[in-house]
Amino acid sequence: MPARHLFTSESVTEGHPDKVCDQISDAILDKILAEDPQGRVACETLATTGLILVAGEITTHTYVDIPSVVRQMLMDIGYTKAIYGISATQAAVLTSIDEQSPEISQGVDESKGHEQGAGDQGLMFGFACRETASLMPLPIMLAHSITRRLAQVRKSHELAWLRPDGKSQVTVEYEGTKPVAVQKVVVATQHDDLSESYPNQADEHDFITREVVKHVILPVLVESGVEFNDHFIVNGTGRFVMGGPQADTGLTGRKIIVDTYGGYARHGGGAFSGKDPSKVDRSASYMARYLAKNIVGAELAERCEVQLAYSIGVAEPLSVSADTFGTGRLPDHELAKMIVKEFPLKPLEIIKHLDLLRPIYRQTAAYGHFGREEKDFTWERLDKVPDLAKYLK
């Protein structure tokens, strides 16, 4: 019998301070792409008590009212009251925007005698496996489901005392590479001060725990169909009233493991949010997921990790590799050759193939960039499976 081991992944809600920043950065990117698909955007956001700071390098011929975008994003997330430490109507919004360096532009922009090169050097990973219908690892998908459920019951007023900030953590037991049970679930969720109804803090904590288990954790686990132990931890410190940017300064790009595979696969280190698709940190990571997912979807492997590497200003990838962890029906080096033959890998080709010059990015900025069957997530398509399946012959 294969050895058993545990693996844990985490997710955060859309109200987590870092995710607030990711969503603001991507909302600004969307506004620009809607009017100027060739705009160059590297937008960073910082959030703290009562203040949003937007900075970065943006080159565009359109105009975006950044404070309005910020306030609408805070409103949509649920930061609507001053008591939360930041609110859509009262937050101060500061901006510090420069244009993209012309020395970068000359290497990235397409021109006579020069095809569009990568927007930066770097390495990107994509991953897929057969643990879930979405071909994603089970721990991160369950963690995302729990944080998304937290937002749903808050916004529907099913648990009206919840506030926007929150986290989840899911520990899955594996037998070899097969998930067999959920062993632990941790939820940290911001909430209103309920001391008037529950003067004893322990009673307040017991109430919140019961409600979160009943309305959030159990529905997700039961729907998953996975065996689970009822080992649940809710608000491990006992209380979570002060949260969001008031309790923890937020920054764009600090949740890159939450955004991808929950630590289950390697990560090249580049964040996604706030970057237009000329930045291969984003576009090539989406392509790497597309490659890995189609390889697994075509039953060429049970699990597959793809790495791409680029140099700034250069169109061709420096390297392409595949690792199937011994599950491939073809040798890994043959899969790498197949990838080069069957898939577009230059930045401009990736952008066209995945149709990335559209205002689709705000929705990616919470609950993961991968494993979501939404129509705009073109990197989740399995349309190359028929072309790859022929290699089995």
Side-chain angles (χ1 to χ4, degrees), residues 18-265:
D18 293 331
K19 276 291 144 206
V20 170
C21 294
D22 285 344
Q23 290 167 94
I24 289 171
S25 292
D26 272 340
I28 293 168
L29 170 63
D30 279 356
K31 285 290 186 180
I32 291 170
L33 290 180
E35 300 294 331
D36 179 12
Q38 300 303 321
R40 293 284 185 261
V41 181
C43 181
E44 314 292 344
T45 303
L46 177 147
T48 189
T49 307
L51 172 67
I52 301 291
L53 170 63
V54 179
E57 298 78 48
I58 298 176
T59 301
T60 180
H61 60 64
T62 192
Y63 170 75
V64 174
D65 184 350
I66 290 178
S68 293
V69 174
V70 170
R71 296 185 193 285
Q72 186 61 56
M73 195 72 256
L74 291 173
M75 182 71 69
D76 292 347
I77 292 169
Y79 283 108
T80 56
K81 301 177 182 178
I83 195 173
Y84 294 167
I86 195 166
S87 73
T89 57
Q90 299 182 32
V93 181
L94 304 180
T95 61
S96 180
I97 305 294
D98 288 318
E99 291 190 340
Q100 184 184 69
S101 161
E103 295 166 351
I104 295 176
S105 299
Q106 70 184 11
V108 175
D109 292 343
E110 188 175 22
S111 60
K112 185 176 181 180
H114 177 75
E115 59 183 330
Q116 180 172 329
D120 200 353
Q121 72 177 50
L123 48 136
M124 301 84 207
F125 289 95
F127 182 77
C129 64
R130 292 203 163 274
E131 291 183 17
T132 61
S134 59
L135 304 185
M136 286 284 288
L138 179 63
I140 186 65
M141 296 307 290
L142 288 176
H144 285 324
S145 294
I146 288 171
T147 51
R148 190 188 286 271
R149 177 76 181 157
L150 275 174
Q152 288 171 347
V153 297
R154 170 174 61 86
K155 291 180 175 181
S156 69
H157 303 290
E158 188 175 350
L159 299 183
W161 40 266
L162 288 178
R163 292 183 179 180
D165 196 0
K167 288 184 174 184
S168 69
Q169 192 167 283
V170 177
T171 299
V172 174
E173 183 178 17
Y174 284 80
E175 189 175 275
T177 59
K178 180 184 177 182
V180 293
V182 175
Q183 291 292 358
K184 296 181 179 67
V185 175
V186 177
V187 171
T189 182
Q190 188 186 15
H191 57 86
D192 288 343
D193 182 349
L194 303 178
S195 58
E196 190 170 308
S197 299
Y198 299 95
N200 184 312
Q201 185 175 318
D203 293 337
E204 179 191 59
H205 182 237
D206 287 344
F207 166 75
I208 291 169
T209 297
R210 287 196 306 271
E211 293 297 289
V212 168
V213 168
K214 177 181 177 181
H215 295 280
V216 178
I217 298 175
L218 287 179
V220 168
L221 294 182
V222 170
E223 184 180 0
S224 76
V226 180
E227 182 181 330
F228 62 89
N229 292 330
D230 55 354
H231 187 152
F232 308 136
I233 300 172
V234 177
N235 289 357
T237 68
R239 208 159 194 256
F240 187 2
V241 174
M242 180 184 291
Q246 182 182 28
D248 183 13
T249 297
L251 289 170
T252 299
R254 281 208 303 203
K255 286 293 174 281
I256 58 177
I257 300 303
V258 171
D259 285 342
T260 53
Y261 308 101
Y264 201 97

